[in-house]
Amino acid sequence: MSANTSGWRPEMTPGKADAPTTTGNKALMLEEPLIFEIGSTRTTGVDFADGDVHHDRLGGLTRKAPIGLPGLSEPETVRHYTRLSRQNYAIDLGLFPLGSCTMKHNPRLNEKMARLPGFADIHPLQPVDTVQGALGVINELAMWLIKLTGMAGVAMTPKAGAHGELCGMLCIKAALAARGEGGRKVVLVPESAHGTNPATAAVAGFTVEDIPATADGRVDLAALEARLGPDVAGIMITNPNTCGLFERDLKKISDAVHAAGGYVYCDGANFNAIVGKVRAGDLGIDAMHINLHKTFSTPHGGGGPGSGPVVLSAALSAFGPLPYTARTADGYVHLVEEGDADAFSAEHYDGAVTCLGRMTAFHGQMGMFTRALTYILSHGADGLRQVAEDAVLNANYVLRGLADVLDAPFAGSGPCMHEALFSDEGFADGFSTLDVAKGLIDEGFHPMTVYFPLVVHGAMLVEPTETESKAALDQFIAALRSVAQRARAGDASLKTAPHFAPRARLDETLAARRPMLVWKEPGAD
Ligand SMILES: *Cc1c(COP(=O)(O)O)cnc(C)c1O
C-alpha cells in the first residue's frame, strides 16, 4: 500500500449495486444467514431412525417437548461457524489499533503451556498434594507481579480488570472500616477515567466525584488537593491515563491523598507501557489491578476469559481476599483458605488476615495464569522492559506519522505513552470520527477506539502495541492517513463507508436499545 492511497470511489467497484451476485457473496466474503434459516427445527442432522426406548435411565427427566434447535448436518454446521468466524477481525489477521485495550500478539507458546494436561485437566477441588505444579504457577506469577510493582501482596483471584477494581475498592473499604473511618464515602475519579472506575466505586458503595483535567490531559493536582477532606475514601486514577499520558504528579497525588487519610487506587490496565520501568509501590499506590489479558498477552475480547490480579500495598494487603497461595521453606505450596488465614502469614505476604472473604469460587483463571507466566518467563525481566519501550516507541511513531493530517491535542506536551490520541478537529463540515472509523474498515483494519476518552472532542485512540513491525505501522498510518484526508476534504463516499464489509452502517442505537436475542419462527408470535 502506498502512502498516497486515495481511497475508495464508487466507480472502482464493479459488481456493486448495479451488478450484484446471485448469492450475495462477494468472492471470499460469503453471506451467511442465521443457523435457524439454514436448518429447520423440524428436521434432524443425523439419519438414525427413531429407536424404541426400552429403558429410560433419566429418572423421569426425559425431555417432553422438542429441543427447538435446527437440524443441520456436520458439514453444514462447520461451514456456518467457519463462515461467521471469517466476518470477524482478529489480532492474527492484522494490526488491531483499539486504544485502551492492549490488543497484542499472543505467542503460541502460551497456548501450548496452558493446554498441558497438568494445568488444563485438573479440578479446583483436587487435593492440594496433587496440584502442586499448578499452585506453584499461581504462586510464582504472584511473586513476579509483586516484584514488578514493588508492592506487598497480590490478590490473584479477580477475573477481569473491573473485577480487580472491585476487589481493590473493597480492600479500601475494609481498611477504612478497620480504622473506624467507614464514614469516608467519597471516591474521587478524574474526568479521563475508564468507565469502569466510577462504576466500580458506585458498586462498592461509594459516592463518585469528578476531578477535572488540566489543559495537558492530566489530573488537576490543585483541584484534587482542594477537594480532599475527612469524607474522602480515596482516589481512583489510571496511569498511564486514558489520554495515553503518564501522570507525572502521581507521587504528589498519592502523598496528598494519604496525608488526607485516603487510599490510592490505580487502574493498571495500561501497565503495558511501563512494565519494568516504573513500580506502583514507588508511586505510593495502595491497590492496582493488572489486566493479565492485556499486559501479559493472554487473548481477550468477545467475552473471553480475563484475569485481573490486584497488587496491594502493606496498608491493604491484610485485607485481600481468599484463597491465596503461599510457598513454605520446604517448597510446598499451600492454599490458604478460610479458617487457616493466618497459618502462613509473613512467609511471602505481609500479613494474611482477611476481611474480604472470596471474590471467586476458586483460585482464579488457571489458563490465564499459565499464559501470563509463560509470557513473563519467555521475556525475562529485560524483555519485559523492552516491551514497554517498544510499545511507547510504536505509539509515538503513529502519533508523529499522522500529525499533519490528524489533530493530536496533547502532542505539544511531549511524547505519549503506549497510545496516541487524536481529535476530529479539521474534518470538513458534517464529517466525524465515526466516518473515519468506518472508512478504516474498508481499508482492512479494525477501527481504533472512538469517542473515548471524553475529554477530547471526537476522540480517536490508537494503541499499536510493541509487536507491530515498522512495515505494519507504515501500512496502518498510510491507511488512516488516506481516510483522514478524505474526512478533511469532505469526500462524500466516506459518509456511506464501509462499502466492502458484509454490512454497512447499522442502527447501533436501535441494536443496543432493542436487541433481538431470540429467534422466532416466521409467523409465530
Ligand atoms: C480494559 C480496561 C479496564 C477494564 O478491564 P476488564 O478486564 O475489561 O474488566 C479498566 N480500565 C482500563 C483503563 C482499561 O483499559
Side-chain angles (χ1 to χ4, degrees), residues 224-263:
L224 169 72
E225 283 174 340
R227 180 56 192 86
L228 290 171
D231 58 338
V232 173
I235 184 171
M236 289 186 88
I237 184 168
T238 307
N239 187 49
N241 72 21
T242 49
C243 297
L245 303 172
F246 191 81
E247 290 285 354
R248 294 191 205 106
D249 288 334
L250 190 46
K251 185 68 175 67
K252 282 186 206 149
I253 290 171
S254 306
D255 290 346
V257 172
H258 289 154
Y263 292 100

Coordinates of all heavy atoms in Angstrom, one line a residue, residues 224-263:
L224 N -7.6 18.6 42.9 CA -7.7 17.4 43.8 C -7.4 17.8 45.2 O -8.2 17.4 46.1 CB -6.7 16.4 43.3 CG -6.4 15.2 44.2 CD1 -7.6 14.3 44.2 CD2 -5.2 14.4 43.9
E225 N -6.3 18.5 45.4 CA -6.0 18.9 46.8 C -7.1 19.7 47.5 O -7.3 19.5 48.7 CB -4.6 19.7 46.8 CG -3.4 18.8 46.6 CD -2.1 19.5 46.5 OE1 -2.1 20.7 46.1 OE2 -1.1 18.9 46.7
A226 N -7.7 20.6 46.7 CA -8.8 21.4 47.2 C -10.0 20.5 47.7 O -10.7 20.9 48.6 CB -9.2 22.4 46.2
R227 N -10.2 19.4 47.1 CA -11.3 18.6 47.4 C -11.1 17.6 48.5 O -12.0 17.0 49.1 CB -11.8 17.8 46.1 CG -13.0 17.0 46.3 CD -14.2 17.8 46.9 NE -15.3 16.9 47.3 CZ -15.4 16.4 48.5 NH1 -14.4 16.6 49.4 NH2 -16.4 15.6 48.9
L228 N -9.8 17.3 48.8 CA -9.5 16.3 49.8 C -10.1 16.7 51.2 O -10.1 17.9 51.5 CB -8.0 16.0 49.9 CG -7.4 15.3 48.7 CD1 -5.9 15.3 48.8 CD2 -8.0 13.9 48.6
G229 N -10.5 15.7 52.0 CA -11.0 16.0 53.3 C -11.4 14.8 54.0 O -11.2 13.7 53.5
P230 N -12.1 14.9 55.2 CA -12.4 13.7 56.0 C -13.5 12.8 55.5 O -13.7 11.7 56.0 CB -12.8 14.4 57.4 CG -13.2 15.8 57.0 CD -12.4 16.2 55.8
D231 N -14.2 13.3 54.4 CA -15.2 12.4 53.8 C -14.6 11.6 52.6 O -15.4 10.9 52.0 CB -16.4 13.3 53.4 CG -16.0 14.4 52.4 OD1 -14.8 14.7 52.3 OD2 -16.9 14.8 51.6
V232 N -13.4 11.9 52.3 CA -12.8 11.2 51.1 C -12.2 9.9 51.4 O -11.2 9.8 52.2 CB -11.8 12.2 50.4 CG1 -11.1 11.5 49.2 CG2 -12.6 13.4 49.8
A233 N -12.7 8.8 50.8 CA -12.1 7.5 51.0 C -10.8 7.3 50.2 O -9.9 6.6 50.6 CB -13.1 6.4 50.6
G234 N -10.8 7.9 49.0 CA -9.6 7.8 48.2 C -9.8 8.2 46.8 O -10.8 8.9 46.4
I235 N -8.9 7.9 45.9 CA -8.9 8.3 44.5 C -8.8 7.1 43.7 O -8.1 6.1 44.1 CB -7.8 9.4 44.2 CG1 -8.0 9.8 42.7 CG2 -6.5 8.8 44.5 CD1 -7.1 11.0 42.4
M236 N -9.4 7.1 42.5 CA -9.2 6.0 41.5 C -8.6 6.7 40.3 O -9.2 7.6 39.7 CB -10.5 5.3 41.1 CG -11.1 4.4 42.2 SD -12.5 3.5 41.5 CE -11.7 2.0 40.9
I237 N -7.3 6.4 40.0 CA -6.6 7.1 39.0 C -6.0 6.1 38.0 O -5.5 5.0 38.4 CB -5.6 8.0 39.6 CG1 -4.9 8.9 38.6 CG2 -4.6 7.2 40.4 CD1 -4.0 10.0 39.2
T238 N -6.0 6.4 36.7 CA -5.5 5.5 35.7 C -4.1 6.0 35.3 O -3.9 7.2 35.0 CB -6.4 5.4 34.5 OG1 -7.7 5.1 34.9 CG2 -5.9 4.4 33.5
N239 N -3.1 5.1 35.3 CA -1.7 5.5 35.0 C -1.0 4.4 34.2 O -0.9 3.3 34.7 CB -0.9 5.9 36.2 CG 0.4 6.5 35.8 OD1 0.5 7.4 35.0 ND2 1.5 6.0 36.3
P240 N -0.5 4.7 33.0 CA -0.7 5.9 32.2 C -2.2 6.1 32.0 O -3.0 5.1 31.9 CB 0.0 5.6 30.9 CG 1.0 4.5 31.2 CD 0.4 3.7 32.3
N241 N -2.6 7.3 31.9 CA -4.0 7.6 31.8 C -4.6 7.3 30.4 O -4.0 6.9 29.5 CB -4.3 9.0 32.3 CG -3.9 10.1 31.4 OD1 -3.7 9.9 30.2 ND2 -3.7 11.3 31.9
T242 N -5.9 7.5 30.3 CA -6.6 7.2 29.1 C -6.4 8.2 28.0 O -6.8 8.0 26.8 CB -8.1 7.0 29.3 OG1 -8.6 8.2 30.0 CG2 -8.4 5.8 30.1
C243 N -5.6 9.3 28.2 CA -5.2 10.1 27.2 C -3.8 9.6 26.6 O -3.2 10.3 25.8 CB -5.1 11.6 27.6 SG -6.6 12.3 28.2
G244 N -3.4 8.5 27.2 CA -2.1 7.9 26.8 C -0.9 8.7 27.4 O 0.2 8.7 26.9
L245 N -1.2 9.3 28.5 CA -0.1 10.2 29.1 C 0.2 9.6 30.5 O -0.6 9.1 31.3 CB -0.6 11.6 29.3 CG -1.1 12.3 28.0 CD1 -1.7 13.6 28.3 CD2 0.1 12.5 27.0
F246 N 1.5 9.8 30.9 CA 2.0 9.4 32.2 C 1.5 10.5 33.2 O 1.7 11.7 32.9 CB 3.5 9.2 32.2 CG 4.0 8.6 33.5 CD1 3.9 7.2 33.7 CD2 4.5 9.4 34.5 CE1 4.4 6.6 34.8 CE2 5.0 8.8 35.7 CZ 4.9 7.4 35.8
E247 N 1.0 10.1 34.3 CA 0.6 11.1 35.3 C 1.8 11.5 36.1 O 2.2 10.9 37.1 CB -0.5 10.5 36.3 CG -1.8 10.3 35.6 CD -2.6 11.6 35.4 OE1 -2.1 12.7 35.8 OE2 -3.7 11.6 34.7
R248 N 2.5 12.6 35.7 CA 3.8 13.0 36.2 C 3.6 13.3 37.7 O 4.6 13.2 38.5 CB 4.3 14.2 35.5 CG 4.6 14.0 34.1 CD 5.4 15.3 33.6 NE 5.3 15.4 32.2 CZ 4.5 16.3 31.6 NH1 3.8 17.2 32.3 NH2 4.4 16.4 30.3
D249 N 2.5 13.8 38.1 CA 2.3 14.2 39.5 C 1.8 13.1 40.4 O 1.4 13.3 41.6 CB 1.3 15.3 39.6 CG 1.9 16.6 39.1 OD1 3.1 16.8 39.1 OD2 1.1 17.5 38.6
L250 N 1.9 11.8 40.0 CA 1.2 10.7 40.7 C 1.8 10.6 42.2 O 1.0 10.4 43.1 CB 1.4 9.4 40.0 CG 0.5 8.3 40.5 CD1 -0.9 8.7 40.9 CD2 0.5 7.1 39.6
K251 N 3.1 10.8 42.3 CA 3.6 10.7 43.7 C 3.1 11.8 44.6 O 2.7 11.5 45.7 CB 5.2 10.7 43.6 CG 5.8 10.5 45.0 CD 5.6 9.1 45.5 CE 6.4 8.7 46.8 NZ 5.9 9.5 48.0
K252 N 3.0 13.0 44.0 CA 2.4 14.1 44.8 C 1.0 13.8 45.1 O 0.5 14.2 46.2 CB 2.5 15.4 44.0 CG 3.9 16.0 44.0 CD 3.9 17.4 43.3 CE 5.3 17.7 42.7 NZ 5.2 18.5 41.5
I253 N 0.3 13.3 44.1 CA -1.2 13.0 44.3 C -1.3 12.0 45.5 O -2.1 12.1 46.4 CB -1.8 12.4 43.0 CG1 -1.9 13.5 42.0 CG2 -3.2 11.8 43.3 CD1 -2.3 13.1 40.6
S254 N -0.5 10.9 45.4 CA -0.6 9.9 46.5 C -0.3 10.5 47.8 O -1.0 10.2 48.8 CB 0.4 8.7 46.2 OG 0.3 8.2 45.0
D255 N 0.8 11.3 47.9 CA 1.2 11.9 49.2 C 0.0 12.7 49.7 O -0.3 12.7 50.9 CB 2.4 12.8 49.0 CG 3.7 11.9 48.8 OD1 3.6 10.7 49.0 OD2 4.7 12.4 48.3
A256 N -0.6 13.5 48.8 CA -1.7 14.4 49.3 C -2.9 13.5 49.8 O -3.5 13.8 50.8 CB -2.1 15.3 48.1
V257 N -3.2 12.5 49.0 CA -4.4 11.7 49.4 C -4.1 11.0 50.7 O -4.9 10.9 51.6 CB -4.7 10.6 48.3 CG1 -5.7 9.6 48.7 CG2 -5.2 11.3 47.0
H258 N -2.9 10.4 50.9 CA -2.5 9.8 52.1 C -2.5 10.7 53.3 O -3.0 10.4 54.4 CB -1.1 9.1 52.0 CG -1.1 7.9 51.1 ND1 0.0 7.5 50.5 CD2 -2.1 7.1 50.8 CE1 -0.3 6.4 49.7 NE2 -1.5 6.1 49.9
A259 N -2.0 11.9 53.1 CA -2.0 12.9 54.2 C -3.4 13.3 54.6 O -3.6 13.6 55.8 CB -1.3 14.2 53.7
A260 N -4.4 13.2 53.7 CA -5.8 13.5 54.0 C -6.5 12.2 54.5 O -7.7 12.2 54.7 CB -6.5 14.1 52.8
G261 N -5.8 11.1 54.7 CA -6.4 9.9 55.2 C -7.0 9.0 54.2 O -7.7 8.0 54.6
G262 N -6.8 9.2 52.9 CA -7.4 8.3 51.9 C -6.4 7.3 51.3 O -5.3 7.3 51.7
Y263 N -7.0 6.5 50.4 CA -6.1 5.5 49.8 C -6.1 5.8 48.3 O -7.0 6.4 47.7 CB -6.7 4.1 50.0 CG -6.5 3.6 51.5 CD1 -7.6 3.7 52.3 CD2 -5.3 3.2 51.9 CE1 -7.5 3.3 53.6 CE2 -5.2 2.8 53.3 CZ -6.3 2.8 54.1 OH -6.2 2.4 55.4

